[in-house]
Amino acid sequence: MTPNEFFQEAKNAGVVPSDAVLQSAFQFGVNADELAQLVLSGVKTATASGFDVYEEDEELPQIGAYDIVLDGRDQPVCIIQNKQVKVENFLLVNQAHAFSEGEGDRSLIYWRRVHQEFFTKEYQSFGKKFDPNTARVVLEKFQVVYPVADK
């Protein structure tokens, strides 16, 4: 099923408003299947992305917007809705956010280590250098509004 078909299914079920627009469909990080399952189980309720790798004309995620989480085969797993979006300095991300991301031992130390590794590679792919002292991240908090029934 395509993301658009999945989104229409949620609209038809009355879970998503009929006039809602799909913001995006994406995989989380490098372990898409594992992270998608953390979202479905309610453990992962937040994410972070590199602010400085957004294209100049690319909009930041919006509060209230709907996104589709994809598994490692680009198949829809669930629809999430953003409840909070803010831009923060990488070094100012707090323990509460790290815990909400639901990964590893859910500590801030773990979060910083894996995200510094991830952002370093991501920034390089855009021809940029990730500097944790100056980098900004887009922090999102979300909730699942429509899961796939058989996953």
Side-chain angles (χ1 to χ4, degrees):
M1 178 178 294
T2 69
N4 285 332
E5 291 169 339
F6 186 67
F7 197 63
Q8 187 60 51
E9 181 180 282
K11 286 181 177 184
N12 293 345
V15 177
V16 173
S18 61
D19 62 347
V21 176
L22 178 61
Q23 178 174 252
S24 67
F26 59 86
Q27 293 179 354
F28 277 114
V30 293
N31 294 318
D33 291 329
E34 177 185 330
L35 296 176
Q37 288 306 309
L38 289 175
V39 172
L40 279 177
S41 69
V43 172
K44 182 173 182 60
T45 59
T47 192
S49 55
F51 177 80
D52 299 314
V53 296
Y54 278 82
E55 299 294 325
E56 190 173 305
D57 60 346
E58 184 179 5
E59 283 191 39
L60 292 179
Q62 301 294 307
I63 294 172
Y66 296 94
D67 297 298
I68 294 179
V69 176
L70 303 173
D71 66 16
R73 295 165 303 289
D74 285 331
Q75 292 301 302
V77 173
C78 63
I79 298 173
I80 58 174
Q81 184 179 29
N82 284 337
K83 296 300 180 186
Q84 182 181 32
V85 179
K86 69 178 183 174
V87 178
E88 184 72 82
N89 184 285
F90 178 81
L91 293 178
L92 294 179
V93 173
N94 62 31
Q95 173 60 46
H97 183 84
F99 186 84
S100 295
E101 286 213 24
E103 300 171 39
D105 66 3
R106 301 179 85 174
S107 70
L108 183 57
I109 291 170
Y110 177 87
W111 185 92
R112 283 194 179 141
R113 181 175 53 80
V114 298
H115 282 80
Q116 184 163 341
E117 291 171 12
F118 176 79
F119 288 140
T120 296
K121 290 176 186 172
E122 182 182 38
Y123 276 52
Q124 285 173 347
S125 73
F126 284 89
K128 297 182 178 192
K129 182 178 183 332
F130 176 76
D131 179 353
N133 294 307
T134 59
R136 295 174 294 167
V137 291
V138 180
L139 304 177
E140 298 172 66
K141 291 191 178 184
F142 56 81
Q143 71 178 36
V144 173
V145 295
Y146 189 73
V148 170
D150 63 348
K151 290 213 176 202

